[in-house]
Amino acid sequence: MTAALTPERSQTPADPGPPGKNAANGDTRLRSIARAYVDRVRGGELGALPAALGLIVLCIFFAVLRPVFLSELNFANLLTQGAGSIVIAMGLVFVLLLGEIDLSAGYASGVCAAVLAILLTDNGWPWYGAVGAAILTGTVIGLLLGVLVAKMGIPSFVVTLAAFLGFQGIVLMLLKEGTNISIQDRTILAVANNNLSPALGWVLLALSVAGYAAIQFRQNRNRAQRSLTTAPPTLLAVRIGSLAVLGAVAVQLLNQERSRNVVVDSLKGVPIVVPVVVVLLVAGTFVLQRTSFGLHFYAVGGNAEAARRAGINVAAIRIAAFVICSSLAAVGGIIAASRGNSVDPNTGGSNVLLLAVGAAVIGGTSLFGGRGRAMDAVLGGMVVAVIQNGMGLMGYSSGVKYAVTGSVLLVAAGIDALSRRRSAQR
């Protein structure tokens, strides 16, 4: 049980050795880390590797067939197009980690978006009050679902399927059986439609890289103080350098002028929704990997009975998972309302849930519980967005897009099942 509650760490004492051997020791540790990773992959612990490779292949494929795919305008569209589904998928990761499912997350986001629009447009609330009410609505929804699942013992599939139908009805009632409510608040509209200034984009990138570097060095120092194996300087440099280079390329690309008529309107800079997603990603990663509360999700998902015997409040963890999921669904609904400039009965409906679940699973989160990260939602969401966007540029119909996305989801689920079977056989 201890292993289930503790992140994977080598227990080999750190031994820096004589000064003259530091470089050799660093190279040896680097090779050891690489061998350990290869061994984990061979053993079935693929993690997000298939999603990352798939994303690269898809980008190359569409770039070759449609060079416009790599244009600044399309790159920005990709990021804003997938943001709502990615945020909802982040919440679903918490539920999937427990081996549960939430089929109502899409329409829960629609209910929260409707609350936002009604308070803003019909009641004249300030944006921060309406946003707070929308997120509180999501929290209450998650609390209700969690209690039904954890306390009453109703299977999550049944509870959330009933909620899926019920929330669809609530959206219709809130919108008076089909009314479209336009959003006029500039702050809300800016979330998915406006961009940061080019200078601010660089500042945020510098702060992000500096923060990531500080976390890496602090983690290394803490491990050294506990006589655990530390990452060699070369590996730290690769991690930090990769983030800096990829971020710099993205910011530079997004800072290019994307407007087709600069005289009418200038369009450049990082979309505001991108730092919103990054903040949620950092928060979700910290909770899951750096807190005992987050580690309890892995423990319960891996073996609920063993977690209960270890003193973990399994019911509370299950309730918390649904609360987090629905709260993030509310944020996803706010992003969708901003992107559409309005809320209608289709907000949160249609393929929203399917794309969000697909994003989490394609990114590497297991449907069987106990395996997943917040980053999986981002990778999987980008894979889905690239498929939808690239096939749209190639002129394929919605039917073909859905068929291809479904096939990719099936492949991801198959890889997950095979990897778990292989891990069990070791």
Side-chain angles (χ1 to χ4, degrees):
M1 190 59 232
T2 302
L5 298 176
T6 307
E8 294 180 4
R9 294 186 176 111
S10 172
Q11 298 300 318
T12 305
D15 180 13
K21 297 183 179 180
N22 282 344
N25 289 339
D27 292 341
T28 301
R29 281 183 291 163
L30 191 60
R31 286 194 294 269
S32 298
I33 292 172
R35 283 197 299 269
Y37 177 75
V38 172
D39 290 341
R40 289 199 301 272
V41 171
R42 289 177 176 175
E45 298 181 27
L46 300 178
L49 180 62
L53 294 178
L55 182 60
I56 294 172
V57 171
L58 286 170
C59 288
I60 294 174
F61 176 77
F62 288 125
V64 171
L65 295 181
R66 287 291 184 273
V68 70
F69 177 82
L70 293 180
S71 67
E72 298 89 348
L73 180 60
N74 193 60
F75 182 48
N77 286 340
L78 268 176
L79 297 177
T80 55
Q81 180 181 344
S85 295
I86 287 172
V87 171
I88 297 175
M90 284 187 195
L92 285 167
V93 166
F94 285 83
V95 173
L96 293 174
L97 277 173
L98 305 183
E100 305 286 357
I101 187 67
D102 186 354
L103 300 176
S104 67
Y107 273 114
S109 73
V111 170
C112 298
V115 169
L116 173 81
I118 290 171
L119 293 178
L120 281 175
T121 303
D122 295 347
N123 297 334
W125 281 37
W127 69 267
Y128 48 84
V131 168
I135 295 176
L136 180 60
T137 301
T139 301
V140 172
I141 288 173
L143 182 61
L144 174 62
L145 298 178
V147 168
L148 291 174
V149 172
K151 295 296 185 180
M152 297 189 65
I154 306 175
S156 60
F157 179 87
V158 177
V159 170
T160 57
L161 178 60
F164 172 87
L165 298 173
F167 293 156
Q168 187 173 4
I170 291 175
V171 170
L172 287 172
M173 288 187 286
L174 288 173
L175 299 180
K176 300 177 182 179
E177 302 297 329
T179 302
N180 184 306
I181 301 180
S182 297
I183 295 178
Q184 306 295 331
D185 187 273
R186 293 183 178 181
T187 302
I188 298 299
L189 293 177
V191 172
N193 296 290
N194 289 8
N195 307 291
L196 302 174
S197 67
L200 185 55
W202 287 115
V203 170
L204 289 180
L205 174 62
L207 292 175
S208 299
V209 173
Y212 180 72
I215 291 172
Q216 290 293 310
F217 286 120
R218 180 179 179 182
Q219 179 181 345
N220 235 27
R221 186 179 68 250
N222 291 341
R223 291 178 65 85
Q225 290 174 350
R226 288 179 291 172
S227 297
L228 299 176
T229 300
T230 58
T234 304
L235 182 58
L236 291 179
V238 169
R239 289 174 178 172
I240 299 169
S242 298
L243 176 63
V245 171
L246 290 176
V249 171
V251 171
Q252 177 63 27
L253 188 63
L254 292 170
N255 279 348
Q256 303 303 308
E257 183 59 63
R258 305 191 292 273
S259 177
R260 295 177 180 176
N261 191 340
V262 182
V263 177
V264 176
D265 184 31
S266 178
L267 187 62
K268 58 183 176 180
V270 177
I272 292 176
V273 75
V274 172
V276 172
V277 173
V278 170
V279 168
L280 293 174
L281 171 63
V282 171
T285 301
F286 176 79
V287 168
L288 284 177
Q289 299 184 5
R290 299 298 172 194
T291 67
S292 58
F293 172 70
L295 295 177
H296 288 172
F297 285 91
Y298 294 99
V300 173
N303 191 322
E305 182 58 32
R308 183 179 292 107
R309 292 179 180 178
I312 296 175
N313 190 332
V314 175
I317 292 298
R318 283 184 173 145
I319 293 173
F322 283 96
V323 169
I324 293 171
C325 181
S326 294
S327 298
L328 287 177
V331 178
I334 294 169
I335 293 173
S338 173
R339 186 165 185 262
N341 296 341
S342 64
V343 174
D344 59 49
N346 290 322
T347 303
S350 185
N351 60 352
V352 172
L353 172 68
L354 301 179
L355 293 180
V357 173
V361 176
I362 291 171
T365 299
S366 175
L367 287 167
F368 302 96
R371 185 183 299 170
R373 304 174 305 161
M375 187 64 190
D376 295 343
V378 177
L379 283 174
M382 289 309 300
V383 169
V384 172
V386 165
I387 292 174
Q388 299 284 311
N389 180 277
M391 299 196 75
L393 291 176
M394 294 177 66
Y396 287 104
S397 66
S398 296
V400 176
K401 295 179 188 177
Y402 290 146
V404 172
T405 305
S407 300
V408 172
L409 175 58
L410 182 61
V411 170
I415 292 174
D416 176 38
L418 291 175
S419 65
R420 290 185 69 90
R421 182 182 303 174
R422 188 168 181 178
S423 297
Q425 292 174 348
R426 293 189 69 188

